[in-house]
Amino acid sequence: MSQSNVLFATNRNTSREALFARAEDISADLSKRAAELDRDGHPPFAEIVKLKGSGVLNALHAPEVGGGGLDWVDGLRLVRILARGESSIGQLLGYHFVNSQYVYWAFDEARARSLGSETVAKNLYWGAAVNPRDPGLVLTRRGSGYVLNGRKSFSTAAHVSDYINANASLDDKVVGFAVPTSRPGYTANDDWDNFGQRLSDSGSVEFHDFPVYEEDFVEAPDAPPPVLATFNTPLIQLVFVNFYLGTAEGALQAAIDYVRTTTRPWVTSGVGRAADDPYILERIGEFTAALKATAALADSAAAAVQAGLARGHHVTARERGEAAAEAYAAKVNATHVSLDITSRVFELTGARSTAERYRFDRYWRNVRTHTLHDPVFYKAKEVGEFVLNDKIPEVSLYS
């Protein structure tokens, strides 16, 4: 039995309380090691094994197959909790949630049930290679199946994924499919060198005559995706919202701990402890209020998207668009708040806190790196179009 399956066997309690408690424990452990993990920047194999052992990866799967049965509001809160400890691990949990749940919306019921059961039984981590601005991959027919060739410049969780959603061109059309990375012909490269999200394992991947079969396809090439399957975009944007928020919460907590133990009061403050400095207190109050407001908006947007998903295949394009607009408003807010707080916590901690051993700059580097994933002003524009012109966001892998 593998290490991950041994761990999983000891953590069969998948109640909401148990899953949240394990997430908090993992986050606390990550927080203690985060500076070292950021410095090393290696793919997080051990961290994914720990997530598998906790049962948190399967939190959204149905109880009938061994999952936690949580809804998206709670699932995204788990992402937020992990991101407080280490931003990349929060991102990876959220990406897994979206990619592993996508099969329920895009596959036929029998195939979706089979993949969901396999995911829980084998404790699989799901990634993706679907960047629409980096086509890169080509399917060609060979014998009774297909082979996949090409390269994707970025593929989050490249090394740690057991299964991936991918897309490629086939006869001048783009097709989507889901495949295990254990098949021959898959290569994850060690070329992720960005200054933030260093544990997100987001380097390039290559496919060399990688076999793909008919049962791997998620939808017919000539058929538009069902509305339900297009919820992956507002959900991935809510993943962003929550790990940005969690990262900023982690930054503020680190600053508070530092103020309590290390920061010295300013010479003209008139107080004996930095914790009594009125300007430090004011900033902590302002930052806390901003984070609470962002969390409330994030949860409200998640509830709106969850309500749309609950309608199943009866959900309409209009209902999807309204829910997406809620998610994108939360994205705009979380981007601005997280960038502001992660850059300004140094106003609480002082010059000595910029020492390399603390690596407090990692919080800002992480959100600054990922908030460039898709320009936030386009999200603001989509929200404005909806509010002013009643135009719902167009469906794409970005909106």
Side-chain angles (χ1 to χ4, degrees):
M1 184 180 287
S2 70
Q3 182 183 5
S4 62
N5 285 335
V6 169
L7 287 167
F8 188 58
T10 65
N11 281 311
R12 286 294 181 180
N13 182 0
T14 56
S15 70
R16 181 182 187 276
E17 293 74 18
L19 291 170
F20 271 77
R22 289 179 202 142
E24 292 281 6
D25 288 344
I26 293 171
S27 182
D29 175 65
L30 287 169
S31 183
K32 295 173 185 175
R33 301 185 294 118
E36 179 184 355
L37 291 170
D38 177 74
R39 184 179 297 110
D40 294 342
H42 299 314
F45 292 109
E47 286 67 36
I48 294 298
V49 167
K50 194 163 188 177
L51 282 183
K52 289 181 175 183
S54 72
V56 170
L57 283 186
N58 296 320
L60 298 185
H61 287 280
E64 301 87 74
V65 296
L70 270 57
D71 66 11
W72 276 98
V73 179
D74 275 342
L76 290 164
R77 287 171 178 156
L78 292 175
V79 170
R80 194 187 310 169
I81 290 169
L82 287 184
R84 292 170 192 158
E86 210 295 313
S87 182
S88 294
I89 305 304
Q91 176 188 352
L92 290 175
L93 177 63
Y95 277 41
H96 164 78
F97 280 162
V98 174
N99 288 311
S100 64
Q101 293 298 301
Y102 179 71
V103 301
Y104 292 107
W105 314 322
F107 276 112
D108 65 76
E109 185 176 351
R111 180 66 172 143
R113 190 185 309 113
S114 172
L115 274 175
S117 297
E118 181 184 5
T119 294
V120 175
K122 295 182 179 179
N123 227 9
L124 303 176
Y125 178 89
W126 279 72
V130 295
N131 185 345
R133 302 190 69 211
D134 179 26
L137 304 183
V138 178
L139 270 177
T140 54
R141 290 177 173 80
R142 181 174 297 178
S144 59
Y146 306 81
V147 291
L148 178 65
N149 285 281
R151 179 178 183 271
K152 283 283 189 183
S153 300
F154 300 102
S155 181
T156 294
H159 289 84
V160 301
S161 294
D162 300 306
Y163 239 92
I164 57 170
N165 291 315
N167 58 19
S169 61
L170 172 65
D171 299 334
D172 298 321
K173 300 181 180 68
V174 175
V175 295
F177 44 93
V179 290
T181 57
S182 57
R183 290 180 186 171
Y186 176 83
T187 302
N189 297 314
D190 294 311
D191 52 4
W192 176 244
D193 64 351
N194 293 49
F195 68 56
Q197 294 300 95
R198 289 171 49 75
L199 272 73
S200 66
D201 189 21
S202 295
S204 66
V205 293
E206 297 177 16
F207 298 85
H208 302 279
D209 285 345
F210 181 95
V212 176
Y213 307 103
E214 290 288 349
E215 61 266 26
D216 298 326
F217 289 96
V218 296
E219 57 199 38
D222 295 318
V227 173
L228 193 63
T230 68
F231 272 79
N232 61 329
T233 307
L235 282 168
I236 201 68
Q237 293 289 325
L238 284 176
V239 167
F240 303 167
V241 167
N242 282 275
F243 83 76
Y244 298 168
L245 171 57
T247 302
E249 290 174 338
L252 180 57
Q253 186 58 55
I256 289 170
D257 293 342
Y258 188 91
V259 168
R260 286 172 173 162
T261 61
T262 308
T263 302
R264 297 181 297 179
W266 186 240
V267 292
T268 60
S269 66
V271 299
R273 302 185 312 152
D276 294 321
D277 186 307
Y279 296 108
I280 289 177
L281 291 169
E282 182 271 342
R283 276 162 177 72
I284 289 176
E286 292 287 349
F287 294 164
T288 299
L291 290 172
K292 285 182 177 294
T294 302
L297 182 56
D299 287 346
S300 174
V305 173
Q306 176 64 51
L309 285 171
R311 286 183 46 73
H313 287 285
H314 297 292
V315 70
T316 66
R318 174 72 189 188
E319 290 167 335
R320 186 266 190 195
E322 291 173 349
E326 294 292 318
Y328 303 161
K331 163 73 176 294
V332 173
N333 176 262
T335 297
H336 295 320
V337 169
S338 63
L339 286 171
D340 181 57
I341 290 176
T342 57
S343 67
R344 295 183 61 205
V345 289
F346 295 98
E347 297 171 13
L348 311 177
T349 55
R352 293 172 186 266
S353 69
T354 63
E356 169 67 16
R357 65 181 178 275
Y358 299 120
R359 296 182 80 82
F360 288 149
D361 63 312
R362 70 182 182 272
Y363 297 105
W364 176 84
R365 287 188 284 106
N366 287 337
V367 292
R368 179 68 285 178
T369 295
H370 199 280
T371 51
L372 300 174
H373 176 278
D374 53 295
V376 70
F377 33 82
Y378 280 92
K379 282 288 164 284
K381 175 180 178 291
E382 288 176 321
V383 175
E385 285 274 26
F386 177 69
V387 172
L388 185 60
N389 298 321
D390 197 36
K391 178 183 177 183
I392 60 174
E394 294 182 7
V395 174
S396 77
L397 287 176
Y398 287 114
S399 64

